[in-house]
Amino acid sequence: MTLLPEPLPSGAEAGASLLAAMAGRTLLLAKVSRESLTWRRVATVLVYELPLIAGCAALGALGCHAAGVEGSPALVVIGVIANKGPAVLDPVIDAAIDALKAALRRPR
């Protein structure tokens, strides 16, 4: 079983996924950061946001492919995942990791 969809997405599909994720993160950052922009702040955002954008695009595209969602609806889902995903997924993942740690600590 392979984790990648068959056939692999085209360059245009991958680019559209990245743009949708970038739009979602940009909307969030524009809402959160109303402070003045400096070169240092922009550089910091680029260092932290670019990997997050790529990850959200990949997770969203793979999830949409698995659910059978394609085209414009998939791009909307990817944008929403990029905008809301980390804030929603972090607590869920933290809770799952804590539950796994607790289960592994219990004597059998």
Side-chain angles (χ1 to χ4, degrees), residues 37-51:
L37 292 177
T38 63
W39 285 110
R40 184 176 182 164
R41 184 164 298 164
V42 170
T44 302
V45 166
L46 288 177
V47 166
Y48 289 108
E49 288 297 322
L50 290 179

Side-chain angles (χ1 to χ4, degrees), residues 9 11 21-22 32 39 41 54 63 72 82 85 88 90 99 103 106:
M22 191 177 301
V32 169
W39 285 110
R41 184 164 298 164
S72 295
V88 173
D90 283 348
R106 286 189 205 131

Side-chain angles (χ1 to χ4, degrees), residues 16 19 21 27 31 35 40 43 45 57 60 66 69-70 77 81 86-87 93:
L19 285 175
L27 287 172
K31 179 180 173 185
E35 303 169 14
R40 184 176 182 164
V45 166
V69 178
E70 297 179 7
V77 170
I81 288 172
I93 291 171

Side-chain angles (χ1 to χ4, degrees), residues 58-69 77 81:
L59 286 173
L62 289 172
C64 287
H65 178 76
V69 178
V77 170
I81 288 172

